[in-house]
Amino acid sequence: MYRKGEVTYQPLPLPDRVQKPDDTALADARAFLDYMRKRHSVRQFSTRPVPQAIIETCIATAGTAPSGANHQPWHFVAISDPALKSRIRAGAEEEERAFYAGSAGDEWLAALEPIGTGADKPHLTDAPWLIVVFAQRYGLTHDGTRYKNYYVPESVGLATGFLIAALHHAGLVCLEHTPNPMKFLGRLLGRPDHEKPVMILPVGWPADNATVPAVAKRKKPLEEILTVLPQSGL
């Protein structure tokens, strides 16, 4: 992204202002919460095609996420080719068979039981698109000089969250799929050694018979995930 020595600090006036009155802000925040509560991780996909422009726009949104030192240590590979999706499914299912055969351990498998997952991954070929998220261990300047990336897992996590929200905003559904290990994806997709695959997102429209695990609707209440300081009355 960078040429060596070309980037220096230059403060800019805040280029965009989207602030609003408190009552409007609260109403909008509540509306956004209601909309995000309608987001679901889905395994059954429609055959309806998804235009590439929608996928590209959602990934562009992911690219606006904040990152350590603004190094943006991510790369996304979007795949619609059926043959390549089949090869990804074959590689993922090979890893998943070993996982469910015992490498995961009893506690992990018990935690997954209410989700209803198994070694078969038809969503990897049924979904019209697969988006593979890569984390870049280090960056390269235009002349090939290596530079360190900072807070890579946190940065890629933020970008992936932006992507999932953008896909939902477009009316699409996805599934957060993490076969373990995932090294086969780098080789299969021709990515360089300094990029680590961290997630596969099958993306598309939900099938008419799409379901979600009932347990997925159980979210921790606000009082379990939020502490406000100072607490009133103290």
Side-chain angles (χ1 to χ4, degrees):
M1 176 176 129
Y2 296 120
R3 288 182 172 82
K4 190 173 181 180
E6 73 173 359
V7 181
T8 58
Y9 175 66
Q10 296 180 345
L12 295 174
L14 181 63
D16 301 293
R17 293 184 181 270
V18 297
Q19 289 66 47
K20 56 193 74 173
D22 289 353
D23 56 346
T24 304
L26 179 57
D28 288 354
R30 286 173 171 165
F32 185 72
L33 171 61
D34 289 342
Y35 187 71
M36 291 304 292
R37 282 175 170 159
K38 298 175 182 177
R39 189 213 62 79
H40 304 291
S41 298
V42 172
R43 289 175 171 79
Q44 298 87 22
F45 291 88
S46 167
T47 58
R48 175 185 168 188
V50 177
Q52 182 173 324
I54 299 177
I55 300 299
E56 291 177 348
T57 303
C58 290
I59 292 175
T61 298
T64 69
S67 61
N70 194 39
H71 282 191
Q72 303 157 57
W74 47 66
H75 189 86
F76 304 90
V77 179
I79 303 130
S80 63
D81 177 65
L84 186 51
K85 289 193 296 180
S86 292
R87 294 175 66 188
I88 291 172
R89 177 180 175 180
E93 288 183 338
E94 181 179 352
E95 302 295 353
E96 295 287 350
R97 283 191 291 271
F99 177 86
Y100 284 95
S103 67
D106 292 341
E107 184 176 2
W108 195 345
L109 293 178
L112 289 173
E113 193 279 332
I115 308 298
T117 61
D120 294 333
K121 305 297 179 183
H123 48 266
L124 294 175
T125 46
D126 291 346
W129 287 93
L130 301 181
I131 301 175
V132 182
V133 184
F134 286 86
Q136 297 177 332
R137 297 180 177 91
Y138 56 86
L140 296 172
T141 65
H142 286 77
D143 63 4
T145 302
R146 181 187 299 194
Y147 60 86
K148 184 178 180 179
N149 285 330
Y150 302 92
Y151 301 106
V152 174
E154 296 87 348
S155 300
V156 175
L158 286 166
T160 303
F162 274 40
L163 174 57
I164 292 170
L167 293 168
H168 177 55
H169 192 64
L172 296 167
V173 295
C174 66
L175 179 70
E176 302 74 30
H177 181 54
T178 52
N180 184 26
M182 290 193 283
K183 291 181 179 179
F184 72 94
L185 286 167
R187 296 189 298 270
L188 186 57
L189 300 177
R191 300 309 305 162
D193 290 341
H194 69 285
E195 291 186 359
K196 175 184 177 182
V198 295
M199 186 174 295
I200 307 172
L201 292 174
V203 176
W205 311 107
D208 290 341
N209 64 342
T211 63
V212 298
V215 71
K217 294 296 294 178
R218 295 169 56 183
K219 304 299 183 184
K220 291 182 179 180
L222 184 63
E223 57 267 22
E224 286 191 23
I225 66 171
L226 170 66
T227 299
V228 177
L229 299 175
Q231 297 179 359
S232 59
L234 295 182

